[in-house]
Amino acid sequence: MISASDYDFLRNYLKARSGLVLTDDKHYLLESRLEPVMRRFDLPDMARLARALRDTSKPGLADAVVEAMTTNESLFFRDRKPFDILTSVMLPTLARNRRPGLPLRIWCAAASTGQEPYSIAMTLRENAHLLGGRTVEIIGTDLSSDVLDRATAGLYNQFEVQRGLPIQLLLKYFTKSGDQWQIAPELRAMVKFRRLNLLEPFSMLGMFDIVFCRNVLIYFDVPTKENVLARIAKSTASDGYLLLGGAETVMGISDAFVSGPQPGFYVPKMRAMEAMA
């Protein structure tokens, strides 16, 4: 069992390092997620784990704890609607309003094991006529190095490719590799993966036309959400778009973005004000 003082230390530590907010009733979640970490670093109990984090006596422990507590649930074409909006609204509008030849930049701010950025890459390949000959750069970032290594490899087991991936796209863009499926090299080449903590500066990534930041903000408290959204706004083109998860919203949290012309995605506030002028 974890003591109250160690639990408070660990949840404050996780919030400071990753933005993750644990409520008072998440003792079991904390213990179950961190048990493999304790075995890996030869720590007999939660008290020793907390002590090791306090005195930084175990190199690599801090990253291992944060990565173990970060939810990496992902699947291909998750919720489907964002990908429909991508082809029905965002790409046609950007192609119509942009000078021909300008590249398109898309950021997946919680790439996990790569299903979302690769779903975007497949969508773009299937709808190349909407790009107007533009090149596309997709950046996938995540806090966890382990999941980014998997994403870069582009290898998925049978269960993973059965979750959301249409059979025709599986056969078209994947090849069997032992008991796994590997996504095509041309799709892997479309995505660059980088380790990034959203609590830290990310302006070095540059500006983006479309930002997918889905199912991340739900783990943050309101001040952290507001801070992250404000910085995403500075990295989003004035005529760009932001997509959040189905249970997420900017309403009552941030005025950096406002609802777009259809539910489910957002545009920078400056753009909305210009449209009303």
Side-chain angles (χ1 to χ4, degrees), residues 107-179:
W107 177 23
C108 289
S112 187
T113 43
Q115 284 94 325
E116 181 172 84
Y118 287 139
S119 295
I120 295 170
M122 282 184 275
T123 300
L124 297 179
R125 295 280 294 198
E126 292 293 295
N127 296 274
H129 62 285
L130 298 176
L131 297 175
R134 290 175 171 80
T135 59
V136 180
E137 181 182 18
I138 304 171
I139 304 293
T141 64
D142 201 276
L143 181 62
S144 170
S145 298
D146 289 342
V147 298
L148 289 177
D149 288 342
R150 286 198 58 210
T152 302
L155 281 167
Y156 302 95
N157 61 37
Q158 189 66 39
F159 175 73
E160 289 168 326
V161 297
Q162 288 176 333
R163 302 184 69 201
L165 182 64
I167 184 65
Q168 65 270 24
L169 296 184
L170 172 65
L171 298 177
K172 185 173 182 179
Y173 293 116
F174 290 75
T175 55
K176 203 77 164 67
S177 177
D179 60 352

Side-chain angles (χ1 to χ4, degrees), residues 5 7 19 30 35 50 59 81 86 93 95 97 99 128 131 147 177 189 212 229 261 269 272:
S5 61
Y7 182 74
L30 190 73
E35 183 178 352
K81 186 175 181 181
L86 179 63
T93 303
N97 295 340
R99 189 172 73 249
L131 297 175
V147 298
S177 177
F212 283 70
L229 285 168
K269 184 177 181 180

Side-chain angles (χ1 to χ4, degrees), residues 10-30:
L10 285 168
R11 68 175 182 173
N12 289 334
Y13 184 89
L14 287 164
K15 183 179 184 301
R17 291 291 297 260
S18 69
L20 177 66
V21 175
L22 292 177
T23 54
D24 292 336
D25 59 347
K26 298 298 183 181
H27 292 71
Y28 172 77
L29 176 66
L30 190 73

Side-chain angles (χ1 to χ4, degrees), residues 73-269:
E73 172 71 11
S74 188
L75 64 153
F76 290 101
F77 296 98
R78 185 174 185 176
D79 301 330
R80 192 68 223 191
K81 186 175 181 181
F83 304 96
D84 293 337
I85 293 175
L86 179 63
T87 56
S88 65
V89 179
M90 290 185 281
L91 291 179
T93 303
L94 288 169
R96 184 171 59 249
N97 295 340
R98 295 288 182 84
R99 189 172 73 249
L102 287 178
L104 185 69
R105 302 191 77 232
I106 301 176
W107 177 23
C108 289
S112 187
T113 43
Q115 284 94 325
E116 181 172 84
Y118 287 139
S119 295
I120 295 170
M122 282 184 275
T123 300
L124 297 179
R125 295 280 294 198
E126 292 293 295
N127 296 274
H129 62 285
L130 298 176
L131 297 175
R134 290 175 171 80
T135 59
V136 180
E137 181 182 18
I138 304 171
I139 304 293
T141 64
D142 201 276
L143 181 62
S144 170
S145 298
D146 289 342
V147 298
L148 289 177
D149 288 342
R150 286 198 58 210
T152 302
L155 281 167
Y156 302 95
N157 61 37
Q158 189 66 39
F159 175 73
E160 289 168 326
V161 297
Q162 288 176 333
R163 302 184 69 201
L165 182 64
I167 184 65
Q168 65 270 24
L169 296 184
L170 172 65
L171 298 177
K172 185 173 182 179
Y173 293 116
F174 290 75
T175 55
K176 203 77 164 67
S177 177
D179 60 352
Q180 295 186 302
W181 292 85
Q182 185 163 46
I183 197 161
E186 61 267 26
L187 289 181
R188 296 204 307 275
M190 291 177 66
V191 186
K192 296 181 175 66
F193 291 102
R194 295 182 58 173
R195 187 175 186 274
L196 178 75
N197 186 337
L198 286 175
L199 301 190
E200 298 171 356
F202 46 73
S203 59
M204 69 288 188
L205 296 178
M207 297 295 293
F208 292 94
D209 304 294
I210 301 171
V211 178
F212 283 70
C213 187
R214 303 173 63 223
N215 307 301
V216 181
L217 299 182
I218 53 175
Y219 300 105
F220 297 161
D221 60 17
V222 171
T224 304
K225 292 177 184 178
E226 185 175 3
N227 175 270
V228 171
L229 285 168
R231 290 185 291 121
I232 289 177
K234 293 178 181 179
S235 295
T236 305
S238 61
D239 59 347
Y241 299 93
L242 167 69
L243 291 102
L244 301 180
E248 298 168 323
T249 181
V250 303
M251 306 304 293
I253 298 172
S254 170
D255 61 1
F257 291 93
V258 297
S259 295
Q262 291 187 19
F265 69 106
Y266 302 87
V267 298
K269 184 177 181 180

